[in-house]
Amino acid sequence: MRNIYLIGFMGAGKSTVGRLLAERLGMGFLDTDALVEQRAGMSIPEIFARFGEERFRQWEREVIGEICRKRGTVVALGGGAPMDEGNWRALRESGITVYLRESPETIAARLADDGTRPLLSGYTGEGRLRRIRELLELREPRYLEAHIVIECRGRSPEEIMGEILERLGDADR
Ligand code: S3P
């Protein structure tokens, strides 16, 4: 069975939905952020602070390269992972890509007090919403290339999982 890749912006619910989906389908679950943290032996904010974003992206590429050789796994990808051309090619070729599309307002509300996303650190209130809008605008053309696009509209993880299950039935697995 092909892998199922959940992509989308920070705070869209990729890890939460991914765990539910894996459980329902009896598949394994992996989270690239968690794997990078394991590999580095430190948290993502620490990686960014000590080594910079480029080193984080290098670890992220390594982890994705290994995952793409597996089968039958649900994977939650870090929000920036699909922007790398090599990652994107490998993901598209080894599985079904599912974009969890959520509004910048909902994302900003969910991440209002989040201190674990280095790309949002230093941005507060309206500034944080603007930053999310800018990043999302840059990334959305790529996200929209996914095999399946789910309009999340603030729905619960269970509802989103239900729609993914329906849509997977239609997709070529
Ligand atoms: C990032 C998203 C984060 C994490 C890192 C960078 C991004 O993952 O990989 O902070 O570039 O959007 P989540 O999407 O799981 O928050």
Side-chain angles (χ1 to χ4, degrees):
M1 203 191 288
R2 306 177 77 197
N3 290 336
I4 299 171
Y5 297 116
L6 300 185
I7 67 162
F9 207 77
M10 298 174 254
K14 294 164 294 195
S15 303
T16 310
V17 172
R19 266 193 209 96
L20 286 175
L21 187 63
E23 201 172 305
R24 171 65 73 90
L25 293 173
M27 293 168 76
F29 172 74
L30 291 171
D31 180 320
T32 62
D33 287 338
L35 292 171
V36 168
E37 290 185 324
Q38 265 175 31
R39 180 158 303 209
M42 65 188 91
S43 70
I44 288 173
E46 237 179 312
I47 298 172
F48 272 68
R50 290 178 57 181
F51 302 108
E53 180 173 354
E54 208 24 66
R55 185 73 185 97
F56 168 79
R57 297 296 171 198
Q58 211 174 314
W59 267 313
E60 187 173 56
R61 278 194 295 274
E62 285 173 21
V63 160
I64 290 171
E66 289 163 21
I67 288 173
C68 289
R69 290 195 284 275
K70 295 183 190 291
R71 286 284 170 271
T73 307
V74 176
V75 186
L77 276 300
M83 304 313 291
D84 176 271
E85 298 303 325
N87 286 346
W88 189 237
R89 207 173 318 117
L91 294 170
R92 296 262 319 176
E93 284 169 4
S94 61
I96 308 227
T97 47
V98 181
Y99 171 29
L100 300 190
R101 186 168 197 237
E102 190 48 276
S103 70
E105 290 76 15
T106 298
I107 289 168
R110 278 192 196 142
L111 300 183
D113 301 319
D114 180 86
T116 67
R117 299 338 199 266
L119 296 182
L120 300 180
S121 77
Y123 298 88
T124 54
E126 275 297 306
R128 184 163 276 215
L129 176 58
R130 264 200 306 280
R131 169 76 169 157
I132 290 169
R133 282 210 181 100
E134 278 166 19
L135 276 176
L136 190 55
E137 203 170 300
L138 284 174
R139 290 174 173 187
E140 190 142 62
R142 169 53 49 81
Y143 292 160
L144 287 170
E145 288 175 29
H147 295 107
I148 297 175
V149 178
I150 304 284
E151 299 290 347
C152 295
R153 295 189 300 265
R155 283 181 296 166
S156 72
E158 287 77 13
E159 282 179 287
I160 293 167
M161 177 192 64
E163 188 180 336
I164 296 175
L165 287 172
E166 279 172 28
R167 305 273 302 274
L168 281 173
D170 306 332
D172 168 31
R173 306 190 70 197

